[in-house]
Amino acid sequence: MIKLKNLVKTYKMGSTTVKALDGINLEVADGTFITIMGRSGSGKTTLLNMIGCLDRPDNGTIIIDGADITKLPRRQLSKIRREKIGFIFQQHNLIDTLTALENVMLPLRYVRVPKKKAKALALKLLIQVGLQSRINHLPKQLSGGEQQRVAIARALVNKPVAILGDEPTGSIDTETAQAIVALMRKLSKKNNQTFIVVTHDPIIAAASDLVVKMIDGKLYQEDSNINILGKEDKLII
Ligand code: ADP
Ligand code: MG
């Protein structure tokens, strides 16, 4: 379970202040696939950075797996990030000189899993994403969709509680995106892992358990019935 309570983050640039997060409240049960949509500048990446332990809010609490991470000292925060969070970005960020298998092994090597065990786990994940015949390929020898599958395997290999995606289908074609989304959804259900995905992509939104909209640092829950009546989306409080 991930619980966000009254998250506030303000950036100061000279004399201007930007309230990137303006009181975010959200509860996401394990195994939920949730999409966050919203215009550029609405605070989506800032929110992912907070949940991903890459940055801290000014105010509010973030509960991951029962613990309030906002209270943790820096070192423990990076431990949580390495052990409980997986990231999938628009650009896959794979290491060019490493094979698919070696790329997927990396997060495990960071937390000192022995090489043999890391290899076995990485192989298992590459099989799950359908790349058993590509394990020794370098990123440049893989298609865009295959590279993104490797990135997904890498994000999942240390069995994180939450997988955070920032426009994960932003640089692949629609057909491939559809397959990638179906794969992410399948994995979230199979492993009971939470996916929080920022996207403009209606394909991802359609495959989600929950779609929330971000506007000026606030989250709104899309309610199709409400929208049909032409009323406002509901602020999540
Ligand atoms: P999104 O991902 O929805 O496009 P961001 O979370 O990146 O939005 O940014 C939200 C707002 O906060 C924007 O107005 C942006 O300019 C501002 N912002 C983000 N990061 C910083 C930063 N490190 N310093 C100053 N302002 C920032
Ligand atoms: Mg962004």
Side-chain angles (χ1 to χ4, degrees), residues 46-67:
T46 304
L47 180 60
L48 286 191
N49 288 346
M50 304 293 149
I51 303 170
C53 307
L54 290 164
D55 201 354
R56 288 178 192 279
D58 303 329
N59 264 307
T61 49
I62 303 173
I63 313 235
I64 297 178
D65 222 11

Side-chain angles (χ1 to χ4, degrees), residues 2-228:
I2 293 178
K3 238 184 197 170
L4 311 176
K5 242 176 139 180
N6 200 26
L7 284 191
V8 174
K9 179 74 178 180
T10 308
Y11 290 113
K12 280 201 174 62
M13 298 279 283
S15 58
T16 54
T17 55
V18 177
K19 230 176 189 183
L21 303 180
D22 189 10
I24 299 285
N25 293 287
L26 189 66
E27 277 190 34
V28 193
D30 292 343
T32 307
F33 191 107
I34 169 172
T35 296
I36 301 175
M37 302 186 94
R39 292 209 178 129
S40 170
S42 57
K44 304 179 302 294
T45 297
T46 304
L47 180 60
L48 286 191
N49 288 346
M50 304 293 149
I51 303 170
C53 307
L54 290 164
D55 201 354
R56 288 178 192 279
D58 303 329
N59 264 307
T61 49
I62 303 173
I63 313 235
I64 297 178
D65 222 11
D68 181 0
I69 61 160
T70 51
K71 303 279 188 294
L72 295 177
R74 213 190 168 116
R75 279 188 63 171
Q76 281 199 44
L77 203 59
S78 21
K79 187 168 144 67
I80 299 269
R81 180 171 65 240
R82 285 194 306 265
E83 293 178 356
K84 298 197 188 270
I85 311 285
F87 293 93
I88 305 169
F89 301 100
Q90 177 169 359
Q91 300 300 333
H92 53 67
N93 294 337
L94 299 173
I95 295 180
D96 294 339
T97 51
L98 298 181
T99 64
L101 185 66
E102 288 162 346
N103 266 290
V104 179
M105 284 168 69
L106 264 193
L108 297 169
R109 300 294 290 153
Y110 288 144
V111 292
R112 304 212 166 83
V113 173
K115 202 167 181 180
K116 208 170 160 188
K117 190 171 173 204
K119 208 168 181 173
L121 285 169
L123 188 59
K124 193 174 147 197
L125 255 299
L126 282 165
I127 292 170
Q128 276 195 31
V129 300
L131 287 181
Q132 54 273 31
S133 60
R134 301 282 190 279
I135 59 171
N136 292 319
H137 283 54
L138 294 170
K140 65 167 186 241
Q141 298 167 325
L142 297 168
S143 71
E146 288 169 343
Q147 289 171 2
Q148 204 55 319
R149 280 170 192 268
V150 176
I152 291 171
R154 181 186 55 182
L156 291 169
V157 76
N158 56 351
K159 300 197 176 69
V161 180
I163 293 90
L164 310 178
D166 205 343
E167 292 284 352
T169 57
S171 51
I172 45 183
D173 62 88
T174 308
E175 210 170 299
T176 311
Q178 219 141 14
I180 294 286
V181 172
L183 174 66
M184 289 193 292
R185 187 181 165 82
K186 189 181 98 186
L187 292 169
S188 96
K189 300 303 165 203
K190 179 169 182 285
N191 304 328
N192 200 31
Q193 283 164 312
T194 301
F195 276 65
I196 303 179
V197 179
V198 162
T199 189
H200 297 294
D201 191 340
I203 298 171
I204 298 195
S208 305
D209 298 312
L210 176 67
V211 179
V212 295
K213 235 194 236 174
M214 193 148 191
I215 304 170
D216 292 340
K218 289 191 168 75
L219 281 185
Y220 298 81
Q221 188 161 348
E222 256 188 13
D223 183 327
S224 52
N225 294 323
I226 289 177
N227 277 340
I228 288 164

